[in-house]
Amino acid sequence: MSFAALGLREPLIRALERAGITAPFPIQADTLPDTLAGRDVLGRGKTGSGKTLAFSIPMVARLSGDLAGQRRPNRPLGLILAPTRELATQIAAALEPMTAAYSMRVTTVFGGVSQHRQVQALKSGVDIVVACPGRLEDLMRQGLVSLDAVEITVIDEADHMADLGFLPGVTRILAATPAGGQRLLFSATLDNGVDKLVKRFLPKAVLHSVDEAHSPVAAMTHHVFETEGAAAKRDLVYKLASGTGRRILFLRTKHQARKLAKQLTAAGIPAVDLHGNLSQAARDRNLAAFAAGDSKVLVATDVAARGVHVDGVELVVHVDPPAEHKAYLHRSGRTARAGTAGDVVTVVLPDQRKDLAVLMRKAAITVRPQQVTADSPAVTTLVGAIAPLVTAPPASTAKPAKSRRTRNNSESVAAYHTSDVGSTRGSSRRAPAGTDTRRGSDRSRSRVGAARSAEGVDTRRVSEGAGARRGSADARLRYTSDGAGVRRDAEGAGSRRAAKGAEGRRAAEGAGAHRVSGGGDGRRGLEGGGHRRGGSAEAGRDRRAGGGNAGVPQGRSGGARGAHGSGSAGAAGRKRREGGGGHAAAPAGSTGGLAEFSRNGGGSRRRRG
């Protein structure tokens, strides 16, 4: 039967032909007479059977014909609900060639992206909205979209919406549409609450069922490959991924999907990942790379098990067997779509054999497991020609541009890291007797500072317990990367490093440590139990061999030590060598007194002047 015989008008038939669609699939031929007549329809069919066009064709045909009306802002005429962003995007792409024939407008509405573009599209007026329930409800609550003019409502993958817990939202959305409008619902099963939705909103729907629910596709060949252990499984997965055609590898966790995609790419097999942790822009980018053939391997979690349709997927690999049989069929349905052939491989370890047997029995699939390795004839025959390995481009050796913060801070950060004053990491270096222990020459500052700036490194070290603490205990660190290095910021009472010119300042409140490196004055002060460290050209140039520095912890010298608290006003830190002793500035709360620390025979005493 042809589309013309089903009653489609010529412009729509030509649009379908330009898209490569010349004849209807069984579910389309079954449902189109009722959907074109305006009846409510409940469609059930196996995955890959052509359900998207079964509701897209009548929506465009009716909204461009007998239901055609003036486009109004924020009041669409057609609404399609989909459970995932990927499915919504693909439905909109399927509608595009048909809506273009009648100059109709389509927009998508889903979360994970800014709502601004979606709001602007609705304001300009659209004919059809393809939406996920969550974001659509948000816009409804904000008064940015009204469904009172909707003539046709479609619920796609209703059973998957039930699995995701979307049915309460779907119920509220359907209740906001006119009761007399046409409603089409497509679902693999009517369980898990879908039947209640049907009874309330589609009580007189005509049921069209093509094949049994969850039936396997005839053109799909199933294989079960059993391996001895994890190492053999890894080699087998690499071999299965190395063919020339498109293939999708399914794993259970987002972490493992991301990890495997990186490992395959590093091994010369370009792969992209698809999972829930990716932003919408990253999802779209990876799917586009897979569809264009830039990457022949898509490593995914079950987020791609429904609705992601890329032509020419020849192999689906269940690297991790799914938890239940419906997930197995939906994963497998990414291949052998629309009448094409495809293979499905499930990789199992010995301890997974029994669980897989139960799953296959529920899916009505009979397959005999095979004990294989990566070099087994069955694997080699299935994979076919091996794609040439792609060498990953070498990492760029060009130094990234410095951010303003890094440029200004390079000298002071270098001075801090190259000084011989002990660090909170517990390591300290002593200079030979008689050497100048200032915090590094201008030359060493600029050299180390440039190196650290080029690497984008801005390190902060926190030592708790006996060591000095840099940064307060309630510091909350935030990382941002702008392609030119890494900036680290601190909020609240956290530690902050700022620099202007050749000055570097490290500040902390509470139990933190405050360090100042500057032109001619260096101070060490105690603030609320912490200490202030300072190194300058005037203070801290003497280090005596064998004498040590009293009051300078961690083997550090090169800065006067003193107590300089919140009440201290300009108490200059000075250091004086007298038999190995040193001077310290006034203790916290004082305004200029001196406290002397001296070491005599290993002991120390303190005198308040």
Side-chain angles (χ1 to χ4, degrees):
M1 185 178 292
S2 66
F3 284 117
L6 291 170
L8 294 191
R9 295 191 301 275
E10 190 62 28
L12 191 54
I13 294 174
R14 288 197 301 268
L16 289 170
E17 288 176 348
R18 285 193 294 269
I21 303 164
T22 57
F25 293 119
I27 194 169
Q28 299 160 11
D30 246 13
T31 58
L32 278 175
D34 287 322
T35 54
L36 290 173
R39 302 184 185 96
D40 292 351
V41 168
L42 173 59
R44 290 173 56 179
K46 61 190 179 184
T47 182
S49 60
K51 295 191 297 290
T52 301
L53 283 180
F55 61 74
S56 298
I57 290 173
M59 176 167 282
V60 174
R62 295 200 67 208
L63 293 182
S64 62
D66 56 335
L67 296 180
Q70 184 178 4
R71 191 180 293 127
R72 289 175 289 180
N74 303 317
R75 301 183 70 194
L77 299 175
L79 172 65
I80 301 174
L81 296 177
T84 66
R85 292 175 273 182
E86 287 74 25
L87 182 55
T89 301
Q90 294 205 4
I91 291 172
L95 285 166
E96 185 177 351
M98 294 182 286
T99 55
Y102 295 100
S103 299
M104 299 170 67
R105 293 182 185 173
V106 181
T107 193
T108 54
V109 170
F110 46 70
V113 295
S114 170
Q115 73 174 32
H116 177 71
R117 182 198 62 79
Q118 301 165 2
V119 171
Q120 294 303 311
L122 291 168
K123 284 183 179 179
S124 65
V126 295
D127 298 288
I128 301 172
V129 170
V130 186
C132 293
R135 173 59 63 84
L136 181 60
E137 275 205 288
D138 286 344
L139 298 184
M140 290 168 62
R141 282 192 288 265
Q142 296 175 55
L144 299 174
V145 63
S146 173
L147 304 182
D148 59 359
V150 170
E151 297 285 354
I152 304 175
T153 305
V154 176
I155 304 99
D156 192 21
E157 301 280 8
D159 55 333
H160 191 29
M161 290 205 195
D163 293 339
L164 296 174
F166 289 163
L167 285 192
V170 173
T171 301
R172 290 188 292 268
I173 290 170
L174 287 176
T177 62
Q182 183 183 13
R183 288 164 179 161
L184 312 176
L185 185 146
F186 288 83
S187 178
T189 62
L190 296 182
D191 56 1
N192 205 10
V194 178
D195 55 339
K196 296 179 181 179
L197 203 67
V198 171
K199 289 177 181 178
R200 177 176 176 181
F201 295 104
L202 294 89
K204 299 180 180 179
V206 180
L207 174 63
H208 290 279
S209 182
V210 179
D211 295 322
E212 296 181 4
H214 293 311
S215 61
V217 180
M220 188 183 297
T221 304
H222 298 265
H223 312 265
V224 175
F225 290 161
E226 186 177 316
T227 61
E228 294 180 353
K233 178 179 178 179
R234 182 185 64 247
D235 294 340
L236 175 60
V237 170
Y238 276 51
K239 183 66 173 289
L240 292 171
S242 63
T244 56
R246 291 191 184 94
R247 50 208 65 216
I248 301 178
L249 279 56
F250 281 103
L251 292 96
R252 284 192 181 183
T253 68
K254 295 172 280 192
H255 169 71
Q256 291 297 330
R258 180 174 60 250
K259 180 179 178 181
L260 180 57
K262 290 182 178 179
Q263 290 173 339
L264 288 173
T265 302
I269 305 171
V272 291
D273 52 338
L274 184 67
H275 49 77
N277 275 1
L278 295 177
S279 66
Q280 187 58 41
R283 291 188 186 193
D284 293 342
R285 182 170 61 250
N286 289 356
L287 271 177
F290 181 60
D294 297 333
S295 295
K296 292 294 182 69
V297 179
L298 177 67
V299 185
T301 58
D302 284 338
V303 72
R306 291 181 183 246
V308 175
H309 174 40
V310 176
D311 292 328
V313 175
E314 66 178 31
L315 178 65
V316 167
V317 181
H318 301 279
V319 179
D320 294 332
E324 44 95 28
H325 71 286
K326 289 194 294 185
Y328 176 89
L329 289 168
H330 282 296
R331 284 181 176 188
S332 303
R334 299 316 98 198
T335 187
R337 297 180 68 86
T340 62
D343 289 278
V344 178
V345 171
T346 305
V347 182
V348 294
L349 296 171
D351 58 351
Q352 298 172 319
R353 187 185 304 146
K354 291 183 179 179
D355 291 337
L356 183 66
V358 174
L359 183 147
M360 290 296 191
R361 185 167 59 251
K362 290 181 178 179
I365 294 172
T366 303
V367 58
R368 182 179 178 181
Q370 303 176 65
Q371 188 80 29
V372 299
T373 66
D375 299 322
S376 296
V379 176
T380 303
T381 302
L382 180 63
V383 173
I386 303 296
L389 296 181
V390 178
T391 304
S396 175
T397 57
K399 295 181 180 179
K402 297 179 182 178
S403 65
R404 182 174 63 181
R405 177 186 175 93
T406 307
R407 283 197 303 268
N408 292 341
N409 205 29
S410 62
E411 190 172 57
S412 58
V413 173
Y416 163 66
H417 284 291
T418 57
S419 68
D420 60 352
V421 181
S423 72
T424 57
R425 288 184 178 175
S427 62
S428 61
R429 290 177 286 181
R430 293 188 176 274
T435 59
D436 188 353
T437 58
R438 288 177 295 178
R439 289 195 167 181
S441 65
D442 290 341
R443 180 179 178 185
S444 64
R445 289 184 186 185
S446 61
R447 182 174 67 251
V448 179
R452 289 189 176 271
S453 298
E455 295 172 1
V457 177
D458 184 4
T459 56
R460 238 166 255 245
R461 297 189 290 268
V462 177
S463 170
E464 298 184 4
R469 296 182 58 195
R470 289 182 188 163
S472 74
D474 63 346
R476 299 295 182 264
L477 300 183
R478 184 177 55 208
Y479 297 78
T480 57
S481 173
D482 59 4
V486 177
R487 291 173 45 192
R488 184 180 288 184
D489 230 342
E491 297 176 350
S495 59
R496 194 177 78 185
R497 184 182 291 177
K500 278 190 178 182
E503 292 185 7
R505 174 167 184 165
R506 186 174 278 191
E509 296 175 9
H514 198 150
R515 180 171 194 151
V516 178
S517 106
D521 185 21
R523 293 192 290 266
R524 275 196 187 177
L526 297 176
E527 272 189 357
H531 60 271
R532 175 176 296 209
R533 294 180 179 172
S536 71
E538 293 291 332
R541 42 183 151 191
D542 292 334
R543 179 175 293 214
R544 302 284 195 254
N549 290 312
V552 181
Q554 303 173 344
R556 301 175 68 164
S557 70
R561 169 165 185 143
H564 178 81
S566 57
S568 168
R574 297 193 300 271
K575 186 162 189 177
R576 185 173 63 207
R577 295 286 178 176
E578 294 181 357
H583 282 300
S590 71
T591 59
L594 288 176
E596 291 186 14
F597 292 79
S598 64
R599 177 183 295 169
N600 294 314
S604 65
R605 61 187 178 84
R606 181 171 185 172
R607 184 176 70 236
R608 190 182 299 270

